[in-house]
Amino acid sequence: MAMLSMDIATTFINFTTRCGRHHRTPPLSGIRTTVPALFFKSSPIKTHSLSSKTLPCLPRTIFSTSDFSKANRCRRFSVSATATTTPQSEDSDVSTKIPPDNRIPATIITGFLGSGKTTLLNHILTADHGKRIAVIENEYGEIDIDGSLVATKAAGAEDIVMLNNGCLCCTVRGDLVRMIAELVNKKKGKFDHIVIETTGLANPAPIIQTFYAEDQVFNEVKLDGVVTLVDAKHAGFHLDEDKPKGVVNEAVEQIAYADHIIVNKTDLVGEQEITSLVKRIRNINRMAHLKRTEFGKVDLEYVLGIGGFDLERIESSVNDEGAKEDHAHHSHDHDNHHHDEHDHKHDHHHSHDHTHDPGVTSVSIVCEGSLDLEKADRWLGTLLLERSDDIYRMKGLLSVKGMDKRFVFQGVHDLFQGSPDRLWGADEPRVNKIVFIGKNLNAEELEKGFKSCLL
Ligand SMILES: Nc1nc2c(ncn2[C@@H]2O[C@H](COP(=O)(O)OP(=O)(O)OP(=O)(O)O)[C@@H](O)[C@H]2O)c(=O)[nH]1
């Protein structure tokens, strides 16, 4: 018998503040949902004062909640593809598929001043990969030094566009939107990938948000991943830097948002220093892949086409997280937090290292069992409402009662995307895995909250 009628959509929640701006309102296709309904919609539907629209490329829900007072003024959301589970006692079949995404991929290259971003970019542009790359360079100040450094070597670049006079994450974000729109409008079909090099002082969050908040960008371009360069010699100083209250430490933020991390300039330091830096990086971000290198020399597949925001690839992020350093001589420094398949139901643990950089850390929860959908939805919804400023990124793979497919999700602050993916195997243990990266995360609390949603 049906306990709940669940409309499961690929969901995207967007908490950007679009207040005061006028948005066109195309017809909404699909369901409407409420703020906490991340996984499902229960009636009645509340719409608040939302404007809504349909986005052709991806099934998604967008709505805004981070700042409730603000949100009530300017929230918007939209949904397209939906799927319905059958009643729990019947064989449920979630038919939602993550559709092919043909948008142009874009990679953000970030990293502290002097960490080797331009060097990496030159490596990308001069390598033989057959991709036509459009580059967006962000430079502080009017003289585009990096631009000229890149341009001289960039025979492979289809276009190099400079964004001067400010940092992408703050003043020139609107310019980024215009620039991407212009690239797409004028040069679509002439390039295969966009690479954006940020200034060394950029906080990646608003740049990431641009890809979801701005329709002109979202409809044509998908964020492929955030690649962060870390200067093996100087990163420690930057990570240590005490910032005034309310001011972010960019070096920490850049690591926290990364999908792939490149510890560069390893020629300048010894093994011990690198190992200790890697440990520190891992404590901030367990989810990202990590490579050590000199002069940005990494395989191009490590930088382009990484799918850091693709639901299809969530599994590789949450499985084995913290163990992905690609380095022949390195013994991985991660907690053993993998679930023992023979553990009993609800046996679980989280991993969380309190030793360094207590501000920004990773918390992972792994436990077997099935979730009460309604409770999980409420828990995650509340968590995002209350803590989305502090939750930088999260990814997860969930086992939901009554759902014979795994539910995968990922989020960046108050952006949330989730969808059922493949069927659970007949003998496969239904293990939930979630990783959070954020500020002042309380591992015990997160675990307790999650556990309370298990049946
Ligand atoms: N020794 C050494 N030097 C490197 C390495 N990678 C880059 N460099 C040098 O470090 C300097 C800074 O490199 P860039 O690529 O300009 O760094 P960036 O991150 O673009 O710098 P900003 O634009 O100032 O943020 C240059 O002189 C590079 O040649 C490396 O692995 N080892």
Side-chain angles (χ1 to χ4, degrees), residues 119 262-268 292-298:
T119 306
I262 297 172
V263 178
N264 193 37
K265 300 194 173 184
T266 52
D267 55 311
L268 301 179
R292 309 165 179 205
T293 190
E294 297 169 15
F295 292 94
K297 296 247 176 326
V298 289

Side-chain angles (χ1 to χ4, degrees), residues 121-131 156 298 300:
L121 188 54
N122 279 327
H123 171 57
I124 296 171
L125 295 176
T126 51
D128 187 15
H129 45 66
K131 277 191 187 354
V298 289
L300 274 299

Side-chain angles (χ1 to χ4, degrees), residues 113-169:
L113 293 165
S115 54
K117 298 179 292 298
T118 309
T119 306
L120 172 68
L121 188 54
N122 279 327
H123 171 57
I124 296 171
L125 295 176
T126 51
D128 187 15
H129 45 66
K131 277 191 187 354
R132 296 162 305 166
I133 295 173
V135 177
I136 296 178
E137 273 277 351
N138 181 209
E139 183 99 2
Y140 249 141
E142 299 199 5
I143 308 163
D144 54 344
I145 297 167
D146 274 356
S148 42
L149 286 176
V150 172
T152 52
K153 296 190 180 180
E158 184 63 35
D159 255 299
I160 296 182
V161 191
M162 297 302 304
L163 273 171
N164 296 343
N165 269 335
C167 178
L168 259 188
C169 68

Side-chain angles (χ1 to χ4, degrees), residues 5-215:
S5 168
M6 296 176 287
D7 289 320
I8 297 168
T10 295
T11 308
F12 237 109
I13 306 166
N14 167 11
F15 304 92
T16 55
T17 50
R18 296 161 66 101
C19 312
R21 290 207 254 153
H22 183 71
H23 300 292
R24 68 204 146 84
T25 314
L28 183 76
S29 69
I31 56 164
R32 292 190 161 203
T33 187
T34 56
V35 169
L38 304 184
F39 304 130
F40 74 104
K41 175 231 28 159
S42 58
S43 56
I45 296 157
K46 291 182 197 154
T47 58
H48 304 280
S49 56
L50 304 175
S51 68
S52 56
K53 60 195 206 109
T54 304
L55 293 156
C57 304
L58 277 183
R60 65 173 193 163
T61 306
I62 291 190
F63 52 97
S64 165
T65 57
S66 65
D67 176 330
F68 229 94
S69 55
K70 246 189 284 173
N72 279 334
R73 278 184 279 124
C74 63
R75 273 197 251 156
R76 69 158 202 160
F77 71 103
S78 75
V79 181
S80 49
T82 64
T84 306
T85 55
T86 50
Q88 290 185 5
S89 57
E90 299 169 26
D91 287 339
S92 79
D93 175 27
V94 179
S95 58
T96 298
K97 290 267 190 308
I98 301 167
D101 187 348
N102 299 321
R103 295 173 299 163
I104 303 157
T107 300
I108 297 170
I109 295 180
T110 188
F112 210 75
L113 293 165
S115 54
K117 298 179 292 298
T118 309
T119 306
L120 172 68
L121 188 54
N122 279 327
H123 171 57
I124 296 171
L125 295 176
T126 51
D128 187 15
H129 45 66
K131 277 191 187 354
R132 296 162 305 166
I133 295 173
V135 177
I136 296 178
E137 273 277 351
N138 181 209
E139 183 99 2
Y140 249 141
E142 299 199 5
I143 308 163
D144 54 344
I145 297 167
D146 274 356
S148 42
L149 286 176
V150 172
T152 52
K153 296 190 180 180
E158 184 63 35
D159 255 299
I160 296 182
V161 191
M162 297 302 304
L163 273 171
N164 296 343
N165 269 335
C167 178
L168 259 188
C169 68
C170 354
T171 45
V172 295
R173 191 176 127 178
D175 291 348
L176 174 65
V177 176
R178 274 190 294 283
M179 214 152 259
I180 292 177
E182 203 170 309
L183 265 180
V184 170
N185 291 340
K186 293 191 180 156
K187 307 265 172 138
K188 195 171 178 183
K190 293 190 176 152
F191 61 93
D192 311 305
H193 204 107
I194 301 173
V195 174
I196 299 165
E197 182 190 340
T198 72
T199 70
L201 294 173
N203 168 8
I207 308 171
I208 294 170
Q209 209 171 33
T210 303
F211 286 87
Y212 297 101
E214 305 290 344
D215 308 337

Side-chain angles (χ1 to χ4, degrees), residues 327-338:
H327 186 269
H329 309 297
H330 180 67
S331 62
H332 303 303
D333 67 282
H334 59 96
D335 297 343
N336 177 15
H337 51 269
H338 299 291

